[in-house]
């Protein structure tokens, strides 16, 4: 972190600042007196705004009073969700490679995790339903998946969503979908349409929860704002739990989030166009290298190339950093199935991305 001159592609964020209209909204909210405590579930106006947004973007109807909990980040949405589902000794199944926080959260709740890797077949990651079925025991309470996925870019197909929902129903599990990257999706008929949410398939009575964030769609990583959508009983518990963790997300941040959802589409579209171009640039560059397998990601802003013969991605990334000043995330950090790959975040500016790809290619060609 303290090394100078590093081309940093290891974090999950772009170097675009938060758009001005969102900053102005936070300032206005402070001027308007949004500097006090709010409800633990979030301001009623913010929950209504989320329900309106969800209806507009996903065509899903939510009850803002009972099914939405505003949280101080996507991380916190996952955390309250996990804590509500897992008692000590319970088991969770997590589809990997994946951003590792949910795994740690289950362990913090004194639960245990079974990681089930996504197999790569015919250039697409898939869900190994046989392995999922075999991993379920009487102590299993929770099944977690991330779509669009960090780090894979995998997006669950309609059939995969059906399969996951059916499995969760049949075994009485909570199904947690991390959909924080839902707006960063490249395979819709029209750019800007979201990756399909599991909530389009779930009924109100299904044991389903969905974690969301403002970080990725609106360049608001430092603001710490997200939300959990869940069945009313879990949402009520999560609201109570919020009190003892942070009580609620900051009040003026919630108001700024309302503005982001109401006015953010044009800016989001511009960012998506840029990300789609960056994704293509990286794919073209990596596919020109021998010994690399890189499926085309349908969503999020990562590539997860597999490097032939790589057995220690941590040592590889350390050497890449020291010798070329390019910072990537080692695949091993993302759990089962991650070793042998590296994660590249392509949300950076071209002035960083292009030299980083060049140096990475040279490093590999030199027989790293
Ligand atoms: C898959 C996934 N879920 C959740 C988050 C949490 O985002 P935040 O806590 O910034 O809202 C991240 C952030 O990188 C992520 O990659």
């Amino acid at each position: 972190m303290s090394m100078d001159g590093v081309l940093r592609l290891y974090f999950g964020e772009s170097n675009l600042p938060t758009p001005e209209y969102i900053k102005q909204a936070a300032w206005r909210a402070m001027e308007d007196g949004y500097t006090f405590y709010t409800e633990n579930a979030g301001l009623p106006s913010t929950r209504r705004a989320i329900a309106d947004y969800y209806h507009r973007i996903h065509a899903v109807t939510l009850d803002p009073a009972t099914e939405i909990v505003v949280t101080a980040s996507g991380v916190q949405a996952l955390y309250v969700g996990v804590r509500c589902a897992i008692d000590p000794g319970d088991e969770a199944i997590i589809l990997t490679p994946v951003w590792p926080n949910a795994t740690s959260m289950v362990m913090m709740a004194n639960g245990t995790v079974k990681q089930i890797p996504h197999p790569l077949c015919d250039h697409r990651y898939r869900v190994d339903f046989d392995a999922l079925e075999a991993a379920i025991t009487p102590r299993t309470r929770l099944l977690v998946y991330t779509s669009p996925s960090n780090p894979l870019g995998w997006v669950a197909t309609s059939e995969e969503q059906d399969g996951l929902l059916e499995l969760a129903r049949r075994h009485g599990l909570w199904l947690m979908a991390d959909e924080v990257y839902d707006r960063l999706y490249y395979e819709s008929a029209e750019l800007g349409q979201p990756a399909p949410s599991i909530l389009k398939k779930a009924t109100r009575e299904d044991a389903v929860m969905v974690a969301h964030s403002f970080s990725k769609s609106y360049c608001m990583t430092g603001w710490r704002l997200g939300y959990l959508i869940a069945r009313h009983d879990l949402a009520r518990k999560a609201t109570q739990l919020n009190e003892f963790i942070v009580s609620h997300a900051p009040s003026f941040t919630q108001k700024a989030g309302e503005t982001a959802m109401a006015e953010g589409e044009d800016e989001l579209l511009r960012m998506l166009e840029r990300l789609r171009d960056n994704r293509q640039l990286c794919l073209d560059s990596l596919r020109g290298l021998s010994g690399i397998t890189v499926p085309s990601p349908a969503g999020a802003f990562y590539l997860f190339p597999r490097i032939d013969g790589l057995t220690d991605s941590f040592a590889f990334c350390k050497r890449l950093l020291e010798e070329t000043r390019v910072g990537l995330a080692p695949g091993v950090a993302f759990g089962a199935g991650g070793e042998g790959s590296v994660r590249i975040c392509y949300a950076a500016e071209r002035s960083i991305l292009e030299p980083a790809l060049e140096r990475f290619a040279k490093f590999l060609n030199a027989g790293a």
Side-chain angles (χ1 to χ4, degrees), residues 87-107:
D87 281 331
D90 286 344
E91 294 174 8
I93 297 177
I94 300 185
L95 269 60
T96 60
V98 75
W99 183 69
N101 288 31
T103 305
S104 300
M105 288 166 186
V106 171
M107 294 189 318

Side-chain angles (χ1 to χ4, degrees), residues 11-13 71-78 98-101 146-151 178-181 211-216 220-222 224-227 301-302 343:
F11 275 149
E13 64 183 346
T71 55
S73 72
V75 169
Q76 205 224 327
L78 289 171
V98 75
W99 183 69
N101 288 31
T146 305
S147 170
S149 154
N150 170 9
D178 180 338
E179 296 186 356
V180 308
Y181 292 97
H212 271 290
S213 170
F214 287 75
S215 289
K216 315 292 175 178
M220 289 174 71
T221 49
R224 315 314 294 136
L225 186 63
Y227 54 99
F301 45 40
Y302 308 101
R343 190 191 73 175

Side-chain angles (χ1 to χ4, degrees), residues 231-243:
R231 197 173 69 191
H232 58 90
D233 51 343
L234 191 133
R236 191 173 58 243
K237 269 173 87 176
T239 300
Q240 290 166 347
L241 194 54
N242 236 1
E243 167 67 19

Side-chain angles (χ1 to χ4, degrees), residues 206-276:
D206 272 319
V208 169
M209 49 182 150
V210 175
H212 271 290
S213 170
F214 287 75
S215 289
K216 315 292 175 178
S217 313
Y218 303 111
C219 303
M220 289 174 71
T221 49
W223 293 62
R224 315 314 294 136
L225 186 63
Y227 54 99
L228 183 74
I229 301 172
R231 197 173 69 191
H232 58 90
D233 51 343
L234 191 133
R236 191 173 58 243
K237 269 173 87 176
T239 300
Q240 290 166 347
L241 194 54
N242 236 1
E243 167 67 19
F244 310 113
I245 301 174
V246 288
S247 300
H248 60 78
S251 40
F252 49 87
T253 304
Q254 295 185 50
K255 291 307 282 184
E258 290 176 22
T259 301
M261 288 183 290
E263 297 174 23
E265 291 304 305
D266 290 347
E267 196 95 30
L268 179 66
L269 209 56
R270 277 196 290 279
M271 181 171 76
L272 272 174
E273 281 164 359
R274 195 177 134 264
L275 288 173
R276 191 180 51 184

Side-chain angles (χ1 to χ4, degrees), residues 5-252:
V6 176
L7 303 175
R8 297 174 204 279
L9 304 181
Y10 47 69
F11 275 149
E13 64 183 346
S14 76
N15 43 6
L16 289 179
T18 305
E20 195 55 35
Y21 74 94
I22 301 177
K23 291 193 252 183
Q24 290 298 329
W27 177 246
R28 268 199 315 278
M30 280 187 263
E31 293 272 280
D32 291 347
Y34 286 95
T35 57
F36 296 98
Y37 289 134
T38 80
E39 290 77 356
N40 291 139
L43 287 163
S45 63
T46 308
R47 282 179 276 151
R48 264 198 314 276
I50 291 169
D52 290 349
Y53 167 86
Y54 230 80
H55 193 258
R56 179 161 53 87
I57 300 299
H58 285 287
V60 169
T61 303
L62 298 171
D63 177 5
T66 62
E67 294 173 329
I68 298 171
V69 183
V70 181
T71 55
S73 72
V75 169
Q76 205 224 327
L78 289 171
Y79 188 66
V80 286
V82 165
R83 290 308 295 238
C84 288
I86 294 287
D87 281 331
D90 286 344
E91 294 174 8
I93 297 177
I94 300 185
L95 269 60
T96 60
V98 75
W99 183 69
N101 288 31
T103 305
S104 300
M105 288 166 186
V106 171
M107 294 189 318
M108 281 170 71
N110 291 313
T112 53
V113 173
K114 286 192 179 150
Q115 301 188 3
I116 304 296
H118 288 278
L120 178 61
C121 321
D122 301 328
H123 296 284
R124 190 182 174 276
Y125 288 98
R126 301 186 188 265
V127 178
D128 188 344
F129 282 103
D130 292 339
L132 284 179
E133 197 78 56
I136 293 170
T137 77
R139 289 307 303 260
T140 311
R141 295 282 175 276
L142 176 66
L143 171 58
V144 185
Y145 75 100
T146 305
S147 170
S149 154
N150 170 9
L152 302 177
W154 165 81
V155 173
T157 61
S158 176
E159 294 72 33
E160 286 167 339
Q161 286 181 327
D162 287 338
L164 290 166
L165 195 54
E166 189 276 325
L167 190 82
R169 282 176 181 155
R170 187 156 40 82
H171 290 280
L173 311 180
W174 275 98
L175 182 62
M176 175 185 258
D178 180 338
E179 296 186 356
V180 308
Y181 292 97
D182 66 336
R183 300 306 308 276
L184 308 186
Y185 182 53
Y186 311 103
E187 296 200 341
S188 51
E190 217 178 295
L191 199 64
Q193 287 170 359
S197 172
I198 190 73
L199 294 173
K200 287 179 85 79
K201 297 190 175 264
T203 69
R204 278 224 143 83
E205 294 313 313
D206 272 319
V208 169
M209 49 182 150
V210 175
H212 271 290
S213 170
F214 287 75
S215 289
K216 315 292 175 178
S217 313
Y218 303 111
C219 303
M220 289 174 71
T221 49
W223 293 62
R224 315 314 294 136
L225 186 63
Y227 54 99
L228 183 74
I229 301 172
R231 197 173 69 191
H232 58 90
D233 51 343
L234 191 133
R236 191 173 58 243
K237 269 173 87 176
T239 300
Q240 290 166 347
L241 194 54
N242 236 1
E243 167 67 19
F244 310 113
I245 301 174
V246 288
S247 300
H248 60 78
S251 40
F252 49 87

Side-chain angles (χ1 to χ4, degrees), residues 310-327:
L310 184 64
T311 54
D312 187 346
S313 55
F314 187 84
F316 176 91
C317 286
K318 191 158 179 268
R319 221 153 48 75
L320 179 76
L321 178 68
E322 286 166 352
E323 292 177 24
T324 73
R325 294 287 195 269
V326 172

